[in-house]
């Protein structure tokens, strides 16, 4: 048996895992750690090394002088939310230590950080993939300067070599 705690779509995760492990009985459910003792034990086993790693954490941004009072590290924890808020820079956003996938982080960045619109964002809000700006080595160039992205056209940037 495999038990999985989830905060997302439990059915979707269960279907994906069942494909990967067809021989196993899989149970995916929110709050699995409070429903199944084995998940509670696994959660505790994971917490000990995680706490040790965070205790020894060396910030990639030492110039920010970030404090270490981040609470439990979970997004619902008021101390964690307060740390995120204190650590949010208007221009640079959150340090790499933060989990950017949390809605807590996303909402905080929307509230406290400067809104950035990148030149490669099109009118629909879709961002072009970086690969669209470069030809693959040895591949013929399909684009002319006239068909290049508008960010290049606007800045009057021209190709000077055939391959990168």
């Amino acid at each position: 048996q495999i038990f999985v705690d989830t905060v997302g779509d439990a059915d979707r995760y269960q279907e994906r895992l069942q494909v990967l492990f067809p021989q196993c009985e899989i149970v995916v459910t929110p709050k699995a750690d409070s429903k199944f003792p084995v998940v509670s034990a696994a959660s505790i086993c994971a917490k000990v090394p995680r706490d040790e790693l965070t205790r020894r954490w060396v910030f990639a941004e030492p110039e920010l002088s970030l404090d270490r009072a981040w609470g439990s590290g979970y997004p619902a924890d008021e101390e964690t939310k307060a740390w995120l808020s204190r650590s949010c820079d208007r221009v640079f956003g959150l340090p790499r230590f933060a989990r950017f996938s949390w809605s807590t982080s996303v909402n905080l960045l929307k509230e406290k950080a400067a809104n950035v619109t990148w030149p490669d964002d099109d009118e629909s809000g879709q961002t072009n993939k970086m690969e669209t700006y470069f030809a693959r080595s040895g591949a013929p160039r399909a684009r002319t300067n006239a068909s290049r992205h508008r960010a290049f056209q606007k800045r009057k940037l021209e190709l000077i070599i055939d391959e990168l």
Side-chain angles (χ1 to χ4, degrees):
Q1 289 181 314
I2 298 174
F3 297 95
V4 179
D5 193 356
T6 185
V7 294
D9 183 348
D11 293 334
R12 190 174 125 235
Y13 288 123
Q14 186 158 338
E15 288 171 16
R16 292 173 112 186
L17 290 169
Q18 201 64 64
V19 169
L20 293 171
F21 305 101
Q23 71 282 10
C24 296
E25 177 188 343
I26 299 175
V27 177
V28 179
T29 181
K31 304 287 185 192
D33 57 341
S34 65
K35 297 175 183 175
F36 305 101
V38 68
V39 179
S40 299
S43 180
I44 292 166
C45 290
K47 184 181 183 328
V48 172
R50 182 184 64 236
D51 287 351
E52 183 62 19
L53 284 170
T54 57
R55 189 182 67 73
R56 294 180 183 197
W57 188 264
V58 177
F59 288 102
E61 308 90 348
E63 67 282 355
L64 297 180
S65 301
L66 299 165
D67 69 72
R68 302 178 84 73
W70 49 64
S72 69
Y74 290 102
D77 179 2
E78 292 303 321
E79 193 173 355
T80 299
K81 289 194 268 189
W83 182 85
L84 287 168
S85 184
R86 286 192 308 275
S87 303
C88 187
D89 183 87
R90 174 145 171 73
V91 174
F92 299 106
L94 294 168
R96 289 189 221 173
F97 184 71
R99 288 193 184 172
F100 292 86
S101 60
W102 286 348
S103 62
T104 305
S105 297
V106 171
N107 294 337
L108 182 66
L109 288 169
K110 285 179 183 175
E111 175 189 325
K112 291 188 76 170
N115 184 29
V116 176
T117 303
W118 298 99
D120 60 343
D121 290 345
D122 67 20
E123 289 79 22
S124 70
Q126 295 292 326
T127 301
N128 293 317
K129 291 184 179 180
M130 183 58 88
E131 300 92 49
T132 63
Y133 301 118
F134 304 104
R136 294 174 201 236
S137 181
R141 290 218 181 254
R143 292 177 175 232
T144 65
N145 277 344
S147 68
R148 294 187 78 208
H149 189 275
R150 71 177 180 279
F152 291 111
Q153 292 177 28
K154 180 179 175 183
R155 291 164 180 81
K156 299 188 183 346
L157 299 174
E158 299 177 345
L159 295 172
I160 57 170
I161 59 174
D162 288 335
E163 293 184 27
L164 295 174

